[in-house]
Amino acid sequence: ISLTAAHSPQQRVLVLLHGYMQRVREHPALMLCVFSSPALFTQSLAHFTQQLEHEIAQFDATPTVLRDVLVDYTNGYALSIALAPEPVDADASQFHAAIERLLRTAQPL
C-alpha cells in the first residue's frame, strides 16, 4: 500500500515506518552515524519525523511518546537485520504485526 492509498492515519504510519525501515536496512552505517552525531540529522529525517508525528497526532493524545516508541522499535528491527552476522530472511508481516500492536497502545484523544 502506498502513502496516498492509505485511508487512515494508522495505515499512513505503517506505510511511513515500512519505508523508513527499508532505508535503515539499506544504509545501517548511515543511521549509526546519525545516532552518534545528531548534527547529521538531515532535513529529510526531520521531515519524516514531522510527518509521522502529524499522522499519530490524529489518533493519539501524546504523539511524541508513541512516535519515539515506533521509531525506536523500527530502528532496532531494521538494524538487527542489517547488521546480523548471517543473512536474515526478514518477514515484513512480523514487522507490520508489531507496529499494529504498538499502534493499539495509542492514548485516545
Side-chain angles (χ1 to χ4, degrees):
I1 188 169
S2 71
L3 193 57
T4 55
H7 296 291
S8 71
Q10 292 88 343
Q11 286 178 333
R12 288 188 290 275
V13 166
L14 185 59
V15 170
L16 286 166
L17 289 171
H18 182 77
Y20 175 72
M21 183 266 298
Q22 289 296 97
R23 284 187 290 286
V24 172
R25 284 182 61 194
E26 292 168 5
H27 308 286
L30 178 60
M31 187 50 60
L32 292 173
C33 287
V34 170
F35 290 157
S36 67
S37 179
L40 297 174
F41 193 80
T42 64
Q43 187 64 25
S44 65
L45 280 173
H47 177 72
F48 162 77
T49 302
Q50 291 168 351
Q51 189 175 14
L52 183 62
E53 189 173 332
H54 170 76
E55 295 299 340
I56 294 169
Q58 295 181 55
F59 61 88
D60 187 272
T62 56
T64 56
V65 172
L66 185 54
R67 178 205 65 205
D68 290 350
V69 169
L70 290 166
V71 169
D72 286 349
Y73 173 78
T74 302
N75 282 325
Y77 179 87
L79 288 171
S80 69
I81 291 170
L83 301 174
E86 300 292 325
V88 175
D89 184 26
D91 181 1
S93 65
Q94 283 186 310
F95 175 75
H96 289 190
I99 296 299
E100 288 171 352
R101 177 174 283 184
L102 289 170
L103 289 174
R104 288 194 299 270
T105 70
Q107 299 296 310
L109 296 174

